[in-house]
Structures are given as structure tokens and as C-alpha cells.
Amino acid sequence: TLFEPEPLEIAVTYSDTAAYNMWSSEHQLTDDVELEMRNELSSFLIQPKISIVLLIADRHIQHLGKTLLSMTEQIYENFDVCLVYSESIKEQVFRIVSDISDSRIIINSELEQAELLNRASLSSTGEFLAFVNCGCALTKDALFRAIKLLNRES
């Protein structure tokens, strides 16, 4: 079924601190709300795997840890993260990923960016692809809200 999804503000950029602070204060995720969401997950008939293709620009490498942590802390846990980066930041990427140590993170070999995007898409195991730039942070409930919308519209 094709549908017009409601716009979801589920990603914010660290460089836009004022806007993030305003959005965050309006969408507080309390422990009780998080527990309700986790309980609600079991009622979802559709729980597809989401592959997040994370584009890491050299100039944003300092945000990689925060970006990855925002993904690994998701309420909805059926996803993987496919990293796309250039050779020049390979060692930094490996160091940050090894500190996080999450098996859902897939590291692709160093190729040209277009080739990397294709390889990341091919190495993904999800039914849906999401493209995210390094420096963005997903709110803890971002994937949950996307999956909830899929279930509501199916």
C-alpha cells in the first residue's frame, strides 16, 4: 500500500544546537515512555530490518562516536549500520568502531564514494535502507517511530 507518511523529525545535526535543544525539550523521552515503546514493539506485526548507510565525511569524523551511539541505543533494535568513509580516515573509523564494539556495524572497504555507497547498499541486510550523514544523531525512538508508522499504515 502506498501512503503519504506523516513528516517525522527524527534526526538532528549537532551543529544546530539551538534547534536541537528546542526540539528535544518538546519531545522528552522519559523512562516510562521508553518502557511503553519497548512493550508496544511486541504487538507490531511488521518488524523489518533497517540498514542505515552512514556517510562519514573527513570533516565530520569527530562526530562519528556520537552518531554511532545514537544508533546503537535505539529502542527498535532490528537494524545494521553500513559505514561509508574514505581511506584518509580509515584508522580513526576503526578506532572509534572498536571502542563501541557492536556487531550490527558493518565496515566496508575503501573505494570511491559512489562505489562505497553501492557496496554499502549491497552489504546491507535490511529490508529498508536509511541514509544518514555523520554528525547527525538519531533520537532513541527514531527507528521505533518509523516502524510504528509502517505498522499503522499496513
Side-chain angles (χ1 to χ4, degrees), residues 8-13 132 136-139 142:
L8 295 176
E9 290 187 37
I10 58 176
V12 295
T13 304
V132 176
C136 292
L138 297 178
T139 59

Side-chain angles (χ1 to χ4, degrees), residues 62-77:
Q62 73 272 16
H63 299 299
L64 180 58
K66 289 179 184 178
T67 299
L68 285 174
L69 284 175
S70 80
M71 294 174 184
T72 60
E73 295 174 348
Q74 289 295 303
I75 293 169
Y76 184 77
E77 298 179 346

Side-chain angles (χ1 to χ4, degrees), residues 51-56 61 64 68 79-87 89-111 115-125:
S51 288
I52 302 168
V53 177
L54 178 58
L55 309 170
I56 309 166
I61 187 69
L64 180 58
L68 285 174
F79 67 91
D80 58 21
V81 182
C82 305
L83 304 181
V84 176
Y85 58 92
S86 68
E87 173 70 26
I89 57 173
K90 176 182 177 180
E91 289 181 27
Q92 291 169 287
V93 169
F94 276 88
R95 186 172 53 251
I96 293 166
V97 169
S98 68
D99 287 346
I100 293 174
S101 186
D102 190 309
S103 63
R104 296 174 293 187
I105 300 172
I106 300 168
I107 298 177
N108 288 286
S109 60
E110 308 75 36
L111 302 167
E115 263 187 283
L116 275 171
L117 286 171
N118 288 336
R119 172 142 328 160
S121 297
L122 291 173
S123 67
S124 67
T125 58

Side-chain angles (χ1 to χ4, degrees), residues 24 27-35 37 73 75 139-142 145:
S24 181
H27 297 84
Q28 289 293 318
L29 183 62
T30 64
D31 291 342
D32 289 340
V33 171
E34 182 177 337
L35 182 59
M37 288 177 172
E73 295 174 348
I75 293 169
T139 59
K140 201 172 188 178
D141 58 342
R145 291 186 183 280

